[in-house]
PDB file of all heavy atoms in Angstrom:
ATOM      1  N   ALA J1733     -13.100  -7.748   3.052  1.00  0.00           N
ATOM      2  CA  ALA J1733     -13.276  -9.155   2.752  1.00  0.00           C
ATOM      3  C   ALA J1733     -14.706  -9.531   2.562  1.00  0.00           C
ATOM      4  O   ALA J1733     -15.035 -10.484   1.832  1.00  0.00           O
ATOM      5  CB  ALA J1733     -12.608 -10.019   3.797  1.00  0.00           C
ATOM      6  N   TRP J1734     -15.638  -8.823   3.222  1.00  0.00           N
ATOM      7  CA  TRP J1734     -17.057  -9.139   3.102  1.00  0.00           C
ATOM      8  C   TRP J1734     -17.697  -8.451   1.916  1.00  0.00           C
ATOM      9  O   TRP J1734     -18.899  -8.613   1.659  1.00  0.00           O
ATOM     10  CB  TRP J1734     -17.779  -8.766   4.401  1.00  0.00           C
ATOM     11  CG  TRP J1734     -17.186  -9.424   5.605  1.00  0.00           C
ATOM     12  CD1 TRP J1734     -16.578  -8.793   6.693  1.00  0.00           C
ATOM     13  CD2 TRP J1734     -17.177 -10.800   5.895  1.00  0.00           C
ATOM     14  NE1 TRP J1734     -16.124  -9.726   7.583  1.00  0.00           N
ATOM     15  CE2 TRP J1734     -16.528 -10.972   7.119  1.00  0.00           C
ATOM     16  CE3 TRP J1734     -17.621 -11.952   5.218  1.00  0.00           C
ATOM     17  CZ2 TRP J1734     -16.284 -12.209   7.702  1.00  0.00           C
ATOM     18  CZ3 TRP J1734     -17.420 -13.169   5.799  1.00  0.00           C
ATOM     19  CH2 TRP J1734     -16.755 -13.333   7.033  1.00  0.00           C
ATOM     20  N   GLY J1735     -16.925  -7.638   1.176  1.00  0.00           N
ATOM     21  CA  GLY J1735     -17.505  -6.970   0.039  1.00  0.00           C
ATOM     22  C   GLY J1735     -17.730  -5.503   0.273  1.00  0.00           C
ATOM     23  O   GLY J1735     -18.313  -4.795  -0.612  1.00  0.00           O
ATOM     24  N   SER J1736     -17.370  -4.960   1.416  1.00  0.00           N
ATOM     25  CA  SER J1736     -17.583  -3.531   1.690  1.00  0.00           C
ATOM     26  C   SER J1736     -16.669  -2.702   0.848  1.00  0.00           C
ATOM     27  O   SER J1736     -15.451  -2.764   0.940  1.00  0.00           O
ATOM     28  CB  SER J1736     -17.346  -3.266   3.190  1.00  0.00           C
ATOM     29  OG  SER J1736     -17.561  -1.913   3.507  1.00  0.00           O
ATOM     30  N   LEU J1737     -17.288  -1.930  -0.067  1.00  0.00           N
ATOM     31  CA  LEU J1737     -16.488  -1.042  -0.912  1.00  0.00           C
ATOM     32  C   LEU J1737     -15.744  -0.017  -0.092  1.00  0.00           C
ATOM     33  O   LEU J1737     -14.556   0.288  -0.288  1.00  0.00           O
ATOM     34  CB  LEU J1737     -17.358  -0.375  -1.989  1.00  0.00           C
ATOM     35  CG  LEU J1737     -17.870  -1.383  -3.067  1.00  0.00           C
ATOM     36  CD1 LEU J1737     -18.954  -0.690  -3.905  1.00  0.00           C
ATOM     37  CD2 LEU J1737     -16.750  -1.955  -3.909  1.00  0.00           C
ATOM     38  N   ALA J1738     -16.437   0.577   0.844  1.00  0.00           N
ATOM     39  CA  ALA J1738     -15.826   1.483   1.816  1.00  0.00           C
ATOM     40  C   ALA J1738     -15.184   0.592   2.900  1.00  0.00           C
ATOM     41  O   ALA J1738     -15.917   0.197   3.824  1.00  0.00           O
ATOM     42  CB  ALA J1738     -16.807   2.436   2.399  1.00  0.00           C
ATOM     43  N   ALA J1739     -13.937   0.328   2.771  1.00  0.00           N
ATOM     44  CA  ALA J1739     -13.296  -0.696   3.632  1.00  0.00           C
ATOM     45  C   ALA J1739     -12.957  -0.090   4.966  1.00  0.00           C
ATOM     46  O   ALA J1739     -12.478   1.021   5.083  1.00  0.00           O
ATOM     47  CB  ALA J1739     -12.087  -1.287   2.953  1.00  0.00           C
ATOM     48  N   TYR J1740     -13.119  -0.883   6.027  1.00  0.00           N
ATOM     49  CA  TYR J1740     -12.809  -0.465   7.367  1.00  0.00           C
ATOM     50  C   TYR J1740     -12.361  -1.664   8.191  1.00  0.00           C
ATOM     51  O   TYR J1740     -13.216  -2.471   8.677  1.00  0.00           O
ATOM     52  CB  TYR J1740     -13.977   0.227   8.034  1.00  0.00           C
ATOM     53  CG  TYR J1740     -13.653   0.997   9.280  1.00  0.00           C
ATOM     54  CD1 TYR J1740     -13.096   2.266   9.214  1.00  0.00           C
ATOM     55  CD2 TYR J1740     -13.919   0.485  10.526  1.00  0.00           C
ATOM     56  CE1 TYR J1740     -12.837   3.016  10.344  1.00  0.00           C
ATOM     57  CE2 TYR J1740     -13.639   1.179  11.678  1.00  0.00           C
ATOM     58  CZ  TYR J1740     -13.070   2.499  11.607  1.00  0.00           C
ATOM     59  OH  TYR J1740     -12.829   3.188  12.741  1.00  0.00           O
ATOM     60  N   GLY J1741     -11.050  -1.827   8.310  1.00  0.00           N
ATOM     61  CA  GLY J1741     -10.526  -2.982   9.121  1.00  0.00           C
ATOM     62  C   GLY J1741     -10.388  -2.487  10.544  1.00  0.00           C
ATOM     63  O   GLY J1741      -9.767  -1.497  10.812  1.00  0.00           O
ATOM     64  N   ALA J1742     -11.001  -3.234  11.466  1.00  0.00           N
ATOM     65  CA  ALA J1742     -10.994  -2.833  12.888  1.00  0.00           C
ATOM     66  C   ALA J1742     -10.645  -4.029  13.748  1.00  0.00           C
ATOM     67  O   ALA J1742     -10.916  -5.194  13.313  1.00  0.00           O
ATOM     68  CB  ALA J1742     -12.322  -2.213  13.314  1.00  0.00           C
ATOM     69  N   ARG J1743     -10.132  -3.835  14.914  1.00  0.00           N
ATOM     70  CA  ARG J1743      -9.783  -4.956  15.812  1.00  0.00           C
ATOM     71  C   ARG J1743      -9.792  -4.422  17.251  1.00  0.00           C
ATOM     72  O   ARG J1743      -9.724  -3.242  17.494  1.00  0.00           O
ATOM     73  CB  ARG J1743      -8.374  -5.480  15.475  1.00  0.00           C
ATOM     74  CG  ARG J1743      -7.270  -4.415  15.588  1.00  0.00           C
ATOM     75  CD  ARG J1743      -5.961  -4.928  15.029  1.00  0.00           C
ATOM     76  NE  ARG J1743      -4.937  -3.865  14.996  1.00  0.00           N
ATOM     77  CZ  ARG J1743      -3.806  -3.926  14.377  1.00  0.00           C
ATOM     78  NH1 ARG J1743      -3.520  -4.949  13.613  1.00  0.00           N
ATOM     79  NH2 ARG J1743      -2.918  -2.954  14.414  1.00  0.00           N
ATOM     80  N   THR J1744      -9.906  -5.389  18.165  1.00  0.00           N
ATOM     81  CA  THR J1744      -9.811  -5.013  19.566  1.00  0.00           C
ATOM     82  C   THR J1744      -8.366  -4.695  19.878  1.00  0.00           C
ATOM     83  O   THR J1744      -7.415  -5.232  19.258  1.00  0.00           O
ATOM     84  CB  THR J1744     -10.303  -6.122  20.459  1.00  0.00           C
ATOM     85  OG1 THR J1744      -9.579  -7.321  20.184  1.00  0.00           O
ATOM     86  CG2 THR J1744     -11.812  -6.429  20.245  1.00  0.00           C
ATOM     87  N   ALA J1745      -8.192  -3.902  20.887  1.00  0.00           N
ATOM     88  CA  ALA J1745      -6.886  -3.586  21.423  1.00  0.00           C
ATOM     89  C   ALA J1745      -6.749  -4.161  22.830  1.00  0.00           C
ATOM     90  O   ALA J1745      -7.765  -4.602  23.380  1.00  0.00           O
ATOM     91  CB  ALA J1745      -6.694  -2.043  21.448  1.00  0.00           C
ATOM     92  N   PRO J1746      -5.538  -4.187  23.397  1.00  0.00           N
ATOM     93  CA  PRO J1746      -5.473  -4.631  24.807  1.00  0.00           C
ATOM     94  C   PRO J1746      -6.428  -3.877  25.699  1.00  0.00           C
ATOM     95  O   PRO J1746      -6.511  -2.615  25.642  1.00  0.00           O
ATOM     96  CB  PRO J1746      -3.986  -4.326  25.120  1.00  0.00           C
ATOM     97  CG  PRO J1746      -3.284  -4.384  23.821  1.00  0.00           C
ATOM     98  CD  PRO J1746      -4.263  -3.875  22.827  1.00  0.00           C
ATOM     99  N   ASN J1747      -7.185  -4.630  26.465  1.00  0.00           N
ATOM    100  CA  ASN J1747      -8.111  -4.042  27.438  1.00  0.00           C
ATOM    101  C   ASN J1747      -9.352  -3.327  26.805  1.00  0.00           C
ATOM    102  O   ASN J1747      -9.976  -2.521  27.424  1.00  0.00           O
ATOM    103  CB  ASN J1747      -7.439  -3.035  28.398  1.00  0.00           C
ATOM    104  CG  ASN J1747      -6.258  -3.706  29.077  1.00  0.00           C
ATOM    105  OD1 ASN J1747      -6.405  -4.826  29.632  1.00  0.00           O
ATOM    106  ND2 ASN J1747      -5.107  -3.027  29.092  1.00  0.00           N
ATOM    107  N   THR J1748      -9.633  -3.665  25.513  1.00  0.00           N
ATOM    108  CA  THR J1748     -10.891  -3.105  24.946  1.00  0.00           C
ATOM    109  C   THR J1748     -11.785  -4.276  24.499  1.00  0.00           C
ATOM    110  O   THR J1748     -11.325  -5.349  24.159  1.00  0.00           O
ATOM    111  CB  THR J1748     -10.641  -2.215  23.706  1.00  0.00           C
ATOM    112  OG1 THR J1748     -10.265  -3.012  22.557  1.00  0.00           O
ATOM    113  CG2 THR J1748      -9.543  -1.229  24.007  1.00  0.00           C
ATOM    114  N   LYS J1749     -13.076  -4.032  24.481  1.00  0.00           N
ATOM    115  CA  LYS J1749     -14.068  -4.917  23.940  1.00  0.00           C
ATOM    116  C   LYS J1749     -14.498  -4.457  22.571  1.00  0.00           C
ATOM    117  O   LYS J1749     -14.827  -5.251  21.700  1.00  0.00           O
ATOM    118  CB  LYS J1749     -15.298  -5.022  24.921  1.00  0.00           C
ATOM    119  CG  LYS J1749     -14.970  -5.535  26.269  1.00  0.00           C
ATOM    120  CD  LYS J1749     -14.484  -6.966  26.254  1.00  0.00           C
ATOM    121  CE  LYS J1749     -14.266  -7.479  27.648  1.00  0.00           C
ATOM    122  NZ  LYS J1749     -13.741  -8.861  27.653  1.00  0.00           N
ATOM    123  N   LYS J1750     -14.565  -3.118  22.425  1.00  0.00           N
ATOM    124  CA  LYS J1750     -14.933  -2.546  21.118  1.00  0.00           C
ATOM    125  C   LYS J1750     -13.770  -2.760  20.151  1.00  0.00           C
ATOM    126  O   LYS J1750     -12.636  -2.931  20.527  1.00  0.00           O
ATOM    127  CB  LYS J1750     -15.253  -1.082  21.282  1.00  0.00           C
ATOM    128  CG  LYS J1750     -16.442  -0.809  22.170  1.00  0.00           C
ATOM    129  CD  LYS J1750     -16.637   0.674  22.417  1.00  0.00           C
ATOM    130  CE  LYS J1750     -17.828   0.937  23.387  1.00  0.00           C
ATOM    131  NZ  LYS J1750     -17.991   2.386  23.671  1.00  0.00           N
TER     132      LYS J1750
END
Side-chain angles (χ1 to χ4, degrees):
W1734 304 115
S1736 181
L1737 291 170
Y1740 194 80
R1743 59 191 175 193
T1744 57
N1747 303 314
T1748 75
K1749 299 295 184 183
K1750 298 175 184 178

